[in-house]
Amino acid sequence: MRSFRREVKGKLSRTREKIKEMTPRPSGEPAKGLPGEDVYVVGVEADGEVLEPADSAGRVKVRVGNVTMVTDLEKLIRKSESAKKTAKTETRTDYAPEPGMEIDIRGTTFEEAEPLLEKYLDDVSIAGFKLVTIIHGKGTGALRRKVQDYLSRNRRVETHRLGNWNEGSSGVCIVTLKADC
């Protein structure tokens, strides 16, 4: 059994190395970490946009698709102007982006937000997500109450709760999805 495990680990390691070699990485100058800068995130292997300047530790907040993440400035490569133009003119019909871990519906009425929530919960359920965040904001609390009522009735939702102090407090709902829907 041990020799079999070693063999499998070796093959897996070689396969990962081949994938790294085959994955095209854009060459270019290191990113400056300025808000609005289009970048390529090494390690995530995706394009993103810098949201906030680098902090004293060299960490930068970057949006990749619908996901906001914090990463090291040295992992960012600045996208050239020609690459940005090419990327914007290309259209792929076989690509359906994965939903993010959160959806932001602040500033909408519940009537506007309900179809967005329905599609989002469909997408994350199909993608196999277990835990997602709905950002509804604090405001008067009207949208929060309607979202919570909607989540209580939704067949895909196992549980939901308001966020903890470090998750967004009463401005977000943390949703646990059922595995079998």
Side-chain angles (χ1 to χ4, degrees):
M1 186 66 135
R2 286 183 188 160
S3 66
F4 178 71
R5 283 186 184 166
R6 275 193 296 265
E7 183 180 335
V8 169
K9 283 183 181 180
K11 286 183 180 180
L12 183 59
S13 175
R14 287 189 297 276
T15 302
R16 285 184 179 145
E17 288 301 317
K18 285 182 183 178
I19 289 172
K20 270 187 180 177
E21 291 171 8
M22 294 172 60
T23 304
R25 290 194 179 173
S27 59
E29 62 187 62
K32 294 178 182 172
L34 301 174
E37 185 176 22
D38 289 324
V39 294
Y40 178 80
V41 185
V42 176
V44 177
E45 313 307 334
D47 295 331
E49 177 186 358
V50 176
L51 299 177
E52 294 178 6
D55 61 14
S56 60
R59 310 269 298 157
V60 180
K61 188 181 264 189
V62 180
R63 180 183 311 127
V64 177
N66 292 336
V67 178
T68 301
M69 61 185 279
V70 177
T71 188
D72 294 321
L73 181 59
E74 66 238 14
K75 291 185 179 180
L76 302 180
I77 298 173
R78 188 174 191 183
K79 291 189 68 175
S80 67
E81 291 298 318
S82 62
K84 284 192 267 186
K85 289 177 185 173
T86 305
K88 288 179 182 175
T89 58
E90 284 182 12
T91 303
R92 289 179 51 187
T93 57
D94 61 335
Y95 173 73
E98 258 191 47
M101 298 297 292
E102 61 187 35
I103 183 171
D104 189 345
I105 57 169
R106 289 178 290 188
T108 65
T109 65
F110 181 72
E111 290 71 29
E112 295 167 337
E114 187 175 18
L116 299 173
L117 286 174
E118 185 68 30
K119 180 173 181 347
Y120 178 71
L121 291 174
D122 276 343
D123 292 347
V124 295
S125 183
I126 289 168
F129 289 13
K130 182 72 175 156
L131 195 69
V132 294
T133 303
I134 298 172
I135 305 171
H136 45 67
K138 294 182 180 178
T140 63
L143 182 59
R144 178 193 57 203
R145 286 189 295 276
K146 289 185 178 183
V147 167
Q148 287 180 319
D149 182 51
Y150 171 80
L151 294 172
S152 297
R153 294 180 280 114
N154 193 293
R155 64 180 176 79
R156 290 178 215 84
V157 175
E158 187 173 311
T159 61
H160 64 89
R161 63 175 173 81
L162 289 178
N164 293 326
W165 67 271
N166 60 341
E167 296 172 312
S169 184
S170 62
V172 303
C173 280
I174 308 298
V175 181
T176 304
L177 299 166
K178 292 179 181 175
D180 57 350
C181 282

